[in-house]
Structure formats: structure tokens, C-alpha cells
Amino acid sequence: MSRADGIFYKTDEEVELIRTNCLMVSKTLALVGELIRPGVNGLDIDAQAEQLIRDNGGVPGFKGYRGFPATLCISVNEQVVHGIPSNIEFKDGDIVSVDCGVLMNGYYGDAAYTFALGDVKEEVMQLLRVTKASLYKGIQQAIVGKRVGDISSAVQHYTERTHRYGVVRELVGHGLGRNLHEAPEVPNFGRRGQGPRMLDGLVIAIEPMVNLGVKEVETLDDDWTVVSKDRLPSAHYEHSVVVRKGQADILSTHKYVEEAIRKNTNLKEVSDLIPLPV
Ligand code: MG
Ligand code: MG
């Protein structure tokens, strides 16, 4: 179903297809959580992620999307998003944002997680915890009758007003379905009560990108990698959700990736600052 504002609301059947894809994304992020550690590189992890997706009948959603060359976006430290997996080894103390998309049965799934490798500074761990919490602050607003600006405002208020970080403006969350990026845009900044009103069946990816320092970003010469302008670390957490009455239904999950992180002694857990929805 489509409306004049370009938003495609999803039927329950479509939502279940998207949920299946989001689950595959979540399992892929869990595989990353098993593999990632100092001394391994992004290219090796990317190859295994692609294999897992294809073994399960999916197609990497990002590979070939506008020419992106890989299955995962792997963005290290000051890299915000859209980092290209490389043969550079991860180091102790790195934070690594991994974004994954899957295309299957004509629909996409999309989610992201930022990992902490080894001895990450406490100030950076707090950036990760706050960014992850801000994702759930946004999700709390993704209910029937609210407006997209309510999500935007919740994320911005928590990250910028409460915690004095810089929220990236140039990149935003998005509708999700037959296209990886559909209407509406879901910015991580904005005003309460503004933007499109959300109806039942709206599927959106909510994805705060939060910088330890300034909010401004730049794109590197590879035309993909977005970095913070001051080169301070940046975090990124993402879920795909469907807007419902009273409470959003989160289609992706961080459950599997966090199980993997607990078992991987090379990683630090990013604990929850706010109670998460069940
Ligand atoms: Mg994503
Ligand atoms: Mg996304």
C-alpha cells in the first residue's frame, strides 16, 4: 500500500519477510562478534559474513548497492559509517562499527552494532553505551500516532543535551522494504511533533550515529568512508522496527551479537544504560 507521501506501509506478510531478513542480519552480526578481535582484518570477516548470508539463501544487501564493494560496512574509530572492509588488522582499543543488510524474497533487512575491542578507553565506552541507549529512546517513540520528529528529538535530546555528544546530521535512518532506503527519512535530530505522522505497518530503520566530539563529518577520497571532522571516535547502533500501537515491534535483535560478545574474551561488553523493551 502506498500513499501520496511516498511511504509504503507493509502488510503483516511483508513484515514477516522483513523480520526473517533482519534475523539473518542479526545472526551475521553475531558471527562478526565471534570473529572480531585484534589481529584479524575486515576483509576476512566480510568474506565469512557473505558466506553465511548466501548459505542461508540471502544476498548481501549492500554489495553492489550504488557500487559499494562489500557485504559489511566496517567503520573503525573515527570512521562513522560506510567504511570499506580492508586488510588492515584491528588493534586493541579499537571500536568497530559493523552495518549489515540482507536482501531476500524481494525485501531488505538492516541493522548495525559497534564493537569494543580490548582496552577501549572509558570515555569511549560511555559513547557506545549512550549511543546504544539512544537507539532505544528513539524506538520508544516509534508508535502509531507519533511523528517521525518524536523519534528524532528523543535521540538528539539524549545524546546532545544529556550527554553533550555530536549527532551526525548528514546521514539518517530510513524506511525499509522492497528498497534499502525508502521514505520517510528518520533523522537523529529534529523537533517533537514534526515530520510525517506514523501509522501502523510503517517499517523504519532507526540508526543513531553519534560522535564523541563535533557533529560534523567528512567523506574520504574513497567516496564512501564517512569520518568525524575532528577524527574523534564515532558510534553507530541500528535496528529495523515496525510501528505498532503502543509499542514498536523490533524486527532485528542484538541478542545474538551480545551473546557472542560475552563469549569472546577479546571484546568488551557494551552494557545497557536504560531498561530495554522485552
Ligand atoms: Mg544499516
Ligand atoms: Mg540503515
Side-chain angles (χ1 to χ4, degrees), residues 43-207:
L43 274 178
D44 289 341
I45 289 178
D46 190 76
Q48 298 200 52
E50 176 170 3
Q51 193 63 50
L52 179 72
I53 292 167
R54 293 194 187 278
D55 286 348
N56 285 282
V59 171
F62 299 165
K63 200 167 190 174
Y65 184 85
R66 295 185 181 163
F68 189 77
T71 293
L72 304 174
C73 295
I74 299 183
S75 309
V76 184
N77 296 330
E78 76 279 6
Q79 299 177 353
V80 180
V81 287
H82 302 168
I84 299 171
S86 80
N87 60 5
I88 299 171
E89 291 182 356
F90 302 120
K91 303 181 307 296
D92 189 86
D94 282 346
I95 60 166
V96 183
S97 299
V98 179
D99 195 347
C100 180
V102 160
L103 171 63
M104 190 167 65
N105 295 320
Y107 292 84
Y108 283 91
D110 190 9
Y113 199 93
T114 301
F115 298 87
L117 274 62
D119 198 14
V120 174
K121 282 189 238 159
E122 173 50 31
E123 138 184 93
V124 178
M125 288 307 298
Q126 181 68 359
L127 170 72
L128 302 190
R129 290 190 285 261
V130 168
T131 304
K132 192 171 83 161
S134 77
L135 167 60
Y136 291 93
K137 293 274 183 190
I139 290 172
Q140 283 171 358
Q141 300 295 318
I143 54 180
V144 171
K146 294 251 188 192
R147 291 181 181 271
V148 170
D150 296 325
I151 299 174
S152 307
S153 161
V155 172
Q156 184 182 17
H157 191 276
Y158 187 68
T159 54
E160 288 196 335
R161 289 269 182 86
T162 309
H163 290 283
R164 300 285 156 194
Y165 296 131
V167 169
V168 173
R169 305 298 202 264
E170 287 83 347
L171 299 138
V172 296
H174 50 92
L176 181 78
R178 286 195 172 277
N179 307 289
L180 181 57
H181 298 114
E182 295 184 353
E185 291 194 339
V186 184
N188 297 302
F189 61 97
R191 293 174 63 179
R192 219 154 36 116
Q194 304 221 326
R197 192 178 289 282
M198 294 181 282
L199 304 180
D200 190 73
L202 174 65
V203 175
I204 47 176
I206 302 177
E207 49 178 317

Side-chain angles (χ1 to χ4, degrees), residues 8 26 30 42 61 104 110 125 130 144 189 202 217 219 246 248-249 258 263 275-276:
F8 298 97
S26 299
M104 190 167 65
D110 190 9
M125 288 307 298
V130 168
V144 171
F189 61 97
L202 174 65
V217 296
T219 304
D249 184 356
E258 295 193 333
K263 289 182 195 157
L276 302 187

